[in-house]
Amino acid sequence: MKALKDKTLDLLLVLFAALFLMVGVTSLGEDAFGVLLGFGTVIPLAAVYFWRKRREALGLSVKIGGLTLVLFLMALLFWVVCLTALADGGQDLPYGLVPALILGAAYVVRRRRELRRADAAPKPVSARPAQAAEESAPAPSPKPAAVPVTVCPHCGAPGKGDICEYCGMSKKA
């Protein structure tokens, strides 16, 4: 499965976090289930979002594979089941908590392995930066043309140029 675009995943994390935050805030003082569901779901979503932004700021990979994303979503689903059981008195808490912890641990292990591979992979060298460096580099200065050594017709001294270095007369007769 192809990795999702980074911006799309960030946008989805923010939208779902905002949605669950609104559920939690609107349920304050009225419904324990809504508060637990809202704030309890915002915490893992915000943690993943800020962790991604931190890695992105450090210049590290934030791409995620399809199976890793499914593990995260399944762990989040069972976390919601766990929060629901808490609101109902906690009798069914193990049915949500145990799978949420197992899937969450599997997500963390797989994600760390995935990111280690991405960070260790050699970065592809593109032709564009090399071309830009060549274009921006100053052109090599042309070598000055070699001035031939000639003999002065007046004094017979060898020298370069049109004027003799010894007698000061013009070499052109």
Side-chain angles (χ1 to χ4, degrees):
M1 190 182 250
K2 290 185 178 180
L4 290 174
K5 297 286 185 192
D6 296 336
K7 299 292 180 186
T8 305
L9 192 55
D10 286 341
L11 181 64
L12 286 173
L13 283 169
V14 168
L15 287 176
F16 281 114
L19 174 77
F20 282 108
L21 187 62
M22 286 189 311
V23 168
V25 168
T26 56
S27 299
L28 280 176
E30 298 173 10
D31 183 18
F33 169 73
V35 173
L36 284 173
L37 180 65
F39 290 109
T41 308
V42 166
I43 292 170
L45 290 172
V48 169
Y49 176 78
F50 288 119
W51 178 73
R52 286 175 56 84
K53 286 301 172 185
R54 181 177 160 264
R55 282 190 60 87
E56 196 174 87
L58 294 172
L60 300 173
S61 175
V62 292
K63 293 187 186 223
I64 186 168
L67 183 58
T68 310
L69 182 62
V70 169
L71 281 172
F72 175 73
L73 293 175
M74 292 300 293
L76 193 62
L77 173 73
F78 280 102
W79 180 247
V80 168
V81 170
C82 176
L83 294 173
T84 305
L86 274 176
D88 291 340
Q91 286 180 326
D92 298 330
L93 186 64
Y95 299 118
L97 186 60
V98 171
L101 291 176
I102 291 170
L103 289 168
Y107 162 75
V108 169
V109 168
R110 183 169 175 87
R111 186 72 174 134
R112 289 186 66 192
R113 187 180 314 138
E114 192 176 78
L115 291 173
R116 258 191 245 124
R117 283 187 197 143
D119 292 340
K123 304 288 186 237
V125 179
S126 66
R128 286 195 173 268
Q131 283 178 337
E134 288 174 8
E135 291 171 2
S136 66
S141 60
K143 292 182 181 177
V147 179
V149 176
T150 56
V151 177
C152 177
H154 304 286
C155 67
K160 296 180 179 180
D162 294 336
I163 308 285
C164 178
E165 298 169 358
Y166 295 100
C167 68
M169 301 283 292
S170 174
K171 289 183 182 177
K172 294 180 183 177

